[in-house]
Amino acid sequence: MAGKIQDSRAFLGALALLIVGAIMAFKVGFFFAPEIFGSGALTSRWWWEIVLNLQILCLAFMWFCHHNRMQQGEGRWRLRAVVNFIIGMISVSYPVILLIVGAYYDWFRIAPPESSVIVLMLAGMGLWAVGAFVMPILTTMIVGRSELGAAGERLGLNPAAWVKIFWPTFVIAAILAVEAIRGSVTLYMLVPIFMYIQGALPYLKKAYHASPRDSDI
């Protein structure tokens, strides 16, 4: 995506989501492809220290992204900003949620069973589906479609617009279909990347199309 960044706070939000997407991709890869990454990567101390440091960075990015919007917003726009902030913080917190679950079940010494990993993946996809599809509808309803200006007017059954907005979701569906046919799990590590790209797209759009007054951090 070319062009000058006009809202650096929104860009930080997108960057936080993309970093977490990469973290989650490695987590999935460590579990499903130990022949590539090594059998002890998932439970190694160095890996979790890296994750914790990146997690702090991503939470800070998401805070900077939404802080001014919550402070400066009024009425329904402030409520919308608060809802988006909560969604963003939960989205970038999934690695530390897994860390807490892993510590509780002692997965740092013994790798988790595949059934537990699949449950956590399904839970993550469920949270992602709510954040990526349900919550945008809710936040649109909060402020009203007519208040969204040109963006609101473009909402509708426009196939090209849907492909442009949801192409990462279509890629995820294709990956799941291919792996189901092949009976393999190798490509599953790509799913978190596209999940978080889907979440980052609205932030990137805001970063490149906002007013210049939004650029100061």
Side-chain angles (χ1 to χ4, degrees):
M1 185 180 292
K4 182 180 178 181
I5 295 174
Q6 300 185 48
D7 186 343
S8 53
R9 289 178 179 268
F11 183 76
L12 288 179
L15 185 58
L17 290 167
L18 294 175
I19 291 173
V20 173
I23 291 173
M24 296 304 300
F26 276 108
K27 285 180 181 289
V28 175
F30 288 166
F31 185 83
F32 286 113
E35 68 279 3
I36 298 175
F37 298 101
S39 58
L42 189 62
T43 57
S44 61
R45 180 175 178 179
W46 64 265
W47 163 248
W48 285 102
E49 288 179 351
I50 292 173
V51 169
L52 279 176
N53 283 284
L54 289 176
Q55 183 74 94
I56 294 169
L57 178 67
C58 291
L59 288 169
F61 281 176
M62 195 58 70
W63 170 263
F64 278 120
C65 176
H66 291 281
H67 179 256
N68 274 14
R69 306 184 203 283
M70 292 187 292
Q71 277 195 329
Q72 298 173 4
E74 297 180 357
R76 293 178 296 174
W77 286 98
R78 173 173 290 181
L79 176 59
R80 181 176 185 249
V82 170
V83 171
N84 285 335
F85 168 72
I86 294 172
I87 297 169
M89 294 298 279
I90 293 174
S91 298
V92 298
S93 297
Y94 202 63
V96 79
I97 293 173
L98 293 181
L99 186 150
I100 294 171
V101 173
Y104 181 80
Y105 288 105
D106 201 23
W107 288 342
F108 294 104
R109 291 191 300 176
I110 303 173
E114 184 173 334
S115 59
S116 297
V117 173
I118 291 175
V119 168
L120 290 172
M121 288 179 62
L122 291 175
M125 294 190 73
L127 288 173
W128 165 75
V130 171
F133 305 112
V134 177
M135 297 311 297
I137 295 174
L138 176 61
T139 54
T140 299
M141 292 173 62
I142 288 174
V143 298
R145 176 176 167 178
S146 61
E147 297 296 324
L148 294 178
E153 294 302 319
R154 286 195 296 268
L155 295 174
L157 298 177
N158 184 338
W162 281 79
V163 171
K164 183 177 180 180
I165 294 171
F166 297 112
W167 67 265
T169 300
F170 297 143
V171 173
I172 292 170
I175 291 173
L176 295 177
V178 168
E179 292 300 80
I181 294 172
R182 296 198 315 168
S184 172
V185 293
T186 306
L187 294 180
Y188 282 174
M189 66 178 296
L190 298 178
V191 171
I193 294 176
F194 288 101
M195 286 173 63
Y196 277 89
I197 289 176
Q198 180 68 74
L201 286 181
Y203 288 90
L204 290 173
K205 182 178 179 180
K206 182 74 166 64
Y208 285 96
H209 297 285
S211 168
R213 61 182 166 78
D214 294 326
S215 63
D216 182 28
I217 63 170

